């Protein structure tokens, strides 16, 4: 799953890496989340302020994680590090 944060007036990179990603891992590992990584643009003026890559074992584990009660905690944490627009997309290996 690719999560992009775009726009907004603030984005706390340290919080995202040190708190939010571990929270997502804690909530979703039991459903098959294998890793989570953060990427940030070099250009400080870029519209996209972050890209998160959440790698799941398979599509079923991704959907189980998103349907789990832990997703509420993960999403409730977002305002603590950004007011950017968050969008999710699901990718598959080619």
């Amino acid at each position: 799953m690719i999560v992009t944060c775009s726009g907004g007036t603030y984005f706390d990179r340290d919080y995202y890496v040190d708190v939010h990603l571990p929270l997502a891992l804690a909530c979703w590992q039991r459903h098959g989340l294998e890793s989570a990584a953060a990427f940030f643009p070099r250009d400080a003026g870029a519209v996209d302020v972050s890209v998160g890559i959440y790698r799941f074992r398979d599509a079923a584990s991704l959907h189980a994680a998103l349907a789990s009660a832990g997703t509420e905690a993960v999403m409730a944490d977002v305002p603590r590090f950004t007011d950017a627009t968050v969008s999710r997309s699901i990718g598959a290996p080619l």
Side-chain angles (χ1 to χ4, degrees):
M1 176 171 67
I2 301 164
V3 179
T4 305
C5 293
S6 303
T9 60
Y10 68 94
F11 188 94
D12 186 336
R13 289 180 177 187
D14 290 333
Y15 186 96
Y16 184 67
V17 171
D18 297 335
V19 179
H20 188 73
L21 291 181
L23 173 65
L25 283 165
C27 290
W28 293 338
Q29 271 184 324
R30 68 183 65 108
H31 301 288
L33 178 61
E34 296 178 336
S35 66
F39 300 91
F40 305 103
R42 181 176 182 184
D43 178 8
V47 173
D48 294 330
V49 294
S50 77
V51 175
I53 307 293
Y54 298 81
R55 187 175 305 277
F56 287 84
R57 181 176 52 248
D58 53 32
S61 61
L62 165 67
H63 295 296
L66 292 177
S68 73
T71 297
E72 185 176 330
V74 173
M75 296 311 296
D77 190 53
V78 171
R80 293 185 176 100
F81 64 89
T82 191
D83 63 349
T85 300
V86 177
S87 57
R88 290 187 300 220
S89 53
I90 299 171
L94 296 174

